[in-house]
């Protein structure tokens, strides 16, 4: 009997303990919930718009926020926000309220907002811009904005006046665009000055016993710049270690063979051992400058550069790269590189700026200082955020003008915002190999893109939806 009473007492104690634990847990949950609600409720308005700093972007679409309409009336209706519709679903976000300084806009890829009365701008990603579907008819208050930082070979139609001038706002690699992305592959001044990966010249001289003076790493073969033809010819005059799929004669370690490894420490250490690297862009356009140029400068390797004709405007110093355009033939370039390879004094003149940590190019310094975005910097917006906010701010500027009874301002892209010349090919000797099918494609592709641009412009100006059949019929019309 006593045993039963003890068990009953123990069970009662356990029940009381469990009840107390549940009550305490419930109280904690309630207190936390109240704290979170107070935190959001007390979030104050700044400059007439909700303060959203510190709130993860993925929460924007779930937070019901107060807003200020252009006429100053306070409302909780999200219809008061201008809608920025990504017609090319670059971001993948179905709905996000973004804060852009004093302005807020709703960003989405949801095309059901096409006819929404608050849809003010359509955002396009250049590589995915095509004729299959466009937001037509285009209303007078609809701005079109283009983001295109990639090679012209991805969409040649954009590089002709009839198409580029369709857009009101641009963010491209050109310094002339509304949001220039020319330095998109350069984190900042400090990485150029850094000596982290620099291999001393004496060590590089010793490594020359097993390494070529030049290294080439490309796996995108036969692009519009025809770089492989030049390198193939150059190989007949000087030794080149080629690690990529194009003209490969040497293999990287297995873990470094994937494209993702090209920004790893292990890859950097291998490349930093070389004196020179062939930094050839896949296309020749003013200000189209990729990591192929900046990476060797960061590693303390002298780039032998072919690409942007305006590259001298972006060199860290007057003598920091060897420019292919200054040599009439690959044999002349090879002769010059051998001369530098044999003379330490001449070679060191190309890395003196880095050894001394001196960047003399004021254009480059100003561009890095004044750009409104960062590269691999969690403390700054990235360039997509900056592009979105540029458009958002312009839309709000016009809403404020409208509220004051003034006509809206119209922005328009110029042909210089995205312009590249027709591709050309090298033909150094009768012994040059036959053109590959891909190499043959670029010139006629560029020429046809002119017709495509004209046809597209005519159809868009008509301001009606059109079919692919209509488009191609215009392109191939005699």
């Amino acid at each position: 009997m006593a045993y039963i009473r003890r068990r009953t007492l123990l069970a009662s104690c356990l029940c009381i303990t469990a009840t107390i634990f549940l009550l305490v847990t419930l109280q904690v949950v309630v207190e936390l919930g109240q704290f979170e609600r107070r935190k959001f409720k007390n979030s104050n308005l700044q400059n007439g718009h909700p303060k959203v700093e510190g709130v993860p972007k993925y929460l924007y679409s779930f937070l019901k926020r107060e807003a200020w309409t252009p006429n100053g009336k306070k409302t909780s209706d999200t219809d008061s926000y201008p809608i920025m519709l990504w017609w090319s679903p670059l971001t993948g976000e179905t709905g996000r309220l973004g804060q852009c300084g004093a302005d807020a806009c709703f960003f989405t890829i949801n095309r059901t907002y096409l006819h929404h009365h608050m849809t003010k701008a359509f955002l396009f990603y250049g590589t995915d811009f095509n004729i299959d579907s466009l937001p037509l008819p285009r209303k007078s208050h609809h701005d079109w904005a283009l983001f295109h930082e990639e090679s012209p070979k991805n969409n040649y139609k954009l590089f002709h006046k009839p198409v580029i001038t369709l857009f009101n706002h641009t963010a491209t690699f050109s310094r002339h665009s509304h949001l220039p992305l020319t330095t998109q592959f350069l984190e900042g001044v400090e990485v150029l000055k850094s000596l982290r990966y620099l291999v001393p010249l004496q060590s590089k001289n010793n490594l020359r016993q097993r390494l070529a003076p030049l290294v080439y790493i490309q796996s995108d073969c036969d692009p519009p710049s025809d770089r492989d033809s030049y390198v193939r010819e150059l190989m007949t005059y000087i030794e080149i270690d080629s690690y990529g799929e194009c003209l490969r004669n040497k293999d990287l370690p297995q873990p470094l063979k994937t494209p993702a490894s090209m920004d790893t420490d292990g890859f950097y250490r291998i490349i930093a051992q070389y004196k020179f690297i062939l930094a050839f862009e896949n296309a020749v356009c003013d200000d189209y400058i990729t990591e192929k140029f900046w990476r060797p400068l960061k590693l303390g390797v002298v780039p032998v550069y072919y690409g942007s004709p305006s590259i001298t405007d972006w060199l860290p110093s007057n003598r920091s790269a060897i420019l292919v355009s200054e040599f009439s033939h690959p044999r002349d370039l090879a002769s010059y590189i051998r001369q530098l390879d044999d003379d330490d004094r001449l070679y060191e003149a190309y890395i003196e700026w880095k050894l001394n940590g001196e960047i003399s190019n004021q254009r480059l310094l100003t561009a890095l200082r004044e750009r409104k975005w960062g590269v691999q910097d969690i403390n700054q917006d990235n360039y997509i955020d900056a592009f979105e906010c540029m458009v958002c701010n312009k839309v709000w500027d016009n809403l404020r003008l409208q509220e004051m009874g003034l006509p809206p301002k119209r922005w328009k892209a110029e042909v210089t915002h995205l312009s590249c010349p027709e591709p050309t090919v090298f033909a150094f000797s009768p012994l040059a190999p036959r053109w590959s099918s891909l190499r043959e494609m670029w010139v006629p592709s560029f020429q046809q893109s002119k017709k495509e641009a004209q046809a597209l412009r005519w159809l868009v100006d008509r301001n009606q939806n059109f079919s692919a059949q209509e488009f191609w019929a215009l392109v191939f019309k005699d």
Side-chain angles (χ1 to χ4, degrees):
M1 192 69 178
Y3 172 75
I4 293 174
R5 283 199 298 271
R6 283 197 300 273
R7 290 195 61 181
T8 302
L9 179 61
L10 179 59
S12 299
C13 290
L14 288 173
C15 287
I16 293 170
T17 301
T19 301
I20 293 172
F21 175 78
L22 289 173
L23 288 172
V24 171
T25 303
L26 180 60
Q27 183 65 26
V28 169
V29 170
V30 170
E31 288 295 324
L32 283 173
Q34 290 176 344
F35 171 76
E36 289 299 315
R37 284 194 294 275
R38 286 195 301 270
K39 188 166 67 172
F40 284 126
K41 185 177 180 180
N42 294 333
S43 179
N44 63 311
L45 293 175
Q46 283 190 333
N47 299 321
H49 294 286
K51 181 181 179 181
V52 296
E53 290 83 5
V55 180
K57 288 182 178 179
Y58 62 83
L59 287 179
Y60 287 160
S61 58
F62 300 103
L63 298 178
K64 190 175 181 73
R65 299 182 178 278
E66 295 178 327
W68 291 87
T69 57
N71 61 15
K73 293 181 180 179
K74 197 174 180 181
T75 176
S76 60
D77 185 359
T78 54
D79 285 355
S80 63
Y81 294 110
I83 296 171
M84 310 286 108
L85 177 52
W86 270 102
W87 201 250
S88 312
L90 177 64
T91 65
E93 293 174 324
T94 55
R96 173 175 62 84
L97 181 63
Q99 191 77 14
C100 298
D103 302 324
C105 290
F106 184 74
F107 297 94
T108 182
I109 64 169
N110 188 344
R111 290 191 176 186
T112 61
Y113 285 97
L114 170 60
H115 300 296
H116 196 285
H117 72 281
M118 285 303 291
T119 297
K120 302 298 183 182
F122 293 87
L123 313 183
F124 298 88
Y125 180 51
T127 297
D128 297 331
F129 180 84
N130 58 65
I131 57 95
D132 294 336
S133 64
L134 290 173
L136 296 172
R138 182 178 181 179
K139 297 180 181 178
S140 60
H141 65 276
H142 282 169
D143 282 355
W144 284 16
L146 175 69
F147 180 91
H148 190 52
E149 88 292 21
E150 292 192 339
S151 171
K153 73 185 184 117
N154 291 13
N155 200 337
Y156 267 133
K157 287 190 295 295
L158 297 168
F159 290 77
H160 302 295
K161 185 177 180 179
V163 174
I164 187 60
T165 53
L166 283 171
F167 299 96
N168 305 99
H169 315 287
T170 60
T172 77
F173 54 74
S174 170
R175 75 184 79 181
H176 302 294
S177 70
H178 294 124
L179 184 72
L181 305 176
T182 314
T183 58
Q184 61 180 304
F185 292 100
L186 179 58
E187 297 91 331
V189 172
E190 294 309 313
V191 296
L192 288 177
K193 294 181 179 180
S194 173
L195 302 180
R196 176 182 177 185
Y197 292 100
L198 182 70
V199 175
L201 180 55
Q202 189 54 52
S203 298
K204 289 190 177 187
N205 286 335
N206 294 334
L207 287 165
R208 281 284 288 107
Q209 298 177 25
R210 60 181 180 84
L211 298 179
L214 277 163
V215 62
Y216 183 58
I217 308 162
Q218 292 299 335
S219 293
D220 177 15
C221 305
D222 292 315
S225 65
D226 199 28
R227 60 190 173 199
D228 294 335
S229 294
Y230 191 99
V231 175
R232 186 182 291 109
E233 181 74 9
L234 185 63
M235 281 177 162
T236 64
Y237 301 101
I238 192 169
E239 185 183 2
I240 299 173
D241 287 343
S242 182
Y243 288 97
E245 292 302 315
C246 313
L247 309 176
R248 186 178 67 215
N249 59 23
K250 200 160 188 174
D251 289 322
L252 288 166
Q254 190 62 38
L256 299 180
K257 288 185 177 181
T258 62
S261 69
M262 297 191 74
D263 280 316
T264 62
D265 185 81
F267 180 79
Y268 285 177
R269 298 289 179 187
I270 290 176
I271 303 308
Q273 298 176 101
Y274 286 87
K275 286 186 171 183
F276 308 91
I277 184 170
L278 292 170
F280 282 40
E281 306 288 7
N282 63 30
V284 177
C285 305
D286 278 344
D287 298 339
Y288 178 59
I289 304 167
T290 70
E291 76 286 350
K292 297 173 187 64
F293 175 69
W294 302 115
R295 183 187 291 133
L297 295 175
K298 293 189 289 186
L299 302 181
V301 181
V302 177
V304 179
Y305 183 79
Y306 179 72
S308 170
S310 60
I311 191 63
T312 54
D313 289 343
W314 303 103
L315 299 177
S317 75
N318 290 335
R319 183 164 289 190
S320 50
I322 297 169
L323 307 183
V324 171
S325 60
E326 295 181 352
F327 298 86
S328 59
H329 193 276
R331 76 168 71 88
D332 302 320
L333 174 62
S335 176
Y336 185 67
I337 291 173
R338 282 198 301 270
Q339 183 182 359
L340 298 183
D341 185 31
D342 294 336
D343 190 322
D344 289 352
R345 180 182 58 83
L346 293 177
Y347 178 82
E348 283 184 326
Y350 281 90
I351 58 173
E352 185 178 358
W353 68 272
K354 188 172 184 70
L355 295 173
N356 296 334
E358 296 176 353
I359 297 177
S360 58
N361 187 339
Q362 292 305 310
R363 179 192 297 274
L364 175 60
L365 293 172
T366 300
L368 293 173
R369 182 175 63 251
E370 294 183 353
R371 67 186 184 184
K372 302 181 186 303
W373 42 271
V375 179
Q376 299 178 15
D377 186 348
I378 60 174
N379 297 315
Q380 291 183 285
D381 288 341
N382 60 49
Y383 46 43
I384 297 176
D385 293 332
F387 168 67
E388 289 181 335
C389 280
M390 175 187 70
V391 180
C392 175
N393 293 148
K394 297 297 186 185
V395 166
W396 270 103
D397 286 346
N398 274 343
L399 289 175
R400 285 184 278 267
L401 287 173
Q402 179 183 343
E403 180 63 19
M404 292 185 289
L406 299 174
K409 184 175 180 180
R410 301 303 296 171
W411 291 271
K412 186 178 179 181
E414 303 291 340
V415 68
T416 55
H417 289 203
L418 203 59
S419 178
C420 296
E422 182 174 309
T424 57
V425 295
F426 296 106
F428 297 108
S429 72
L431 299 177
R434 292 176 60 85
W435 285 6
S436 70
S437 58
L438 185 60
R439 183 177 180 236
E440 288 178 324
M441 178 185 76
W442 297 116
V443 173
S445 175
F446 184 89
Q447 292 171 345
Q448 179 177 304
S449 70
K450 293 180 182 178
K451 298 179 180 179
E452 293 176 13
Q454 292 168 351
L456 182 60
R457 182 57 185 250
W458 188 89
L459 289 167
V460 172
D461 284 347
R462 190 182 63 171
N463 210 22
Q464 299 176 15
N465 287 313
F466 58 89
S467 66
Q469 288 80 3
E470 288 180 270
F471 171 76
W472 291 114
L474 274 178
V475 171
F476 294 110
K477 182 179 180 181
D478 292 333

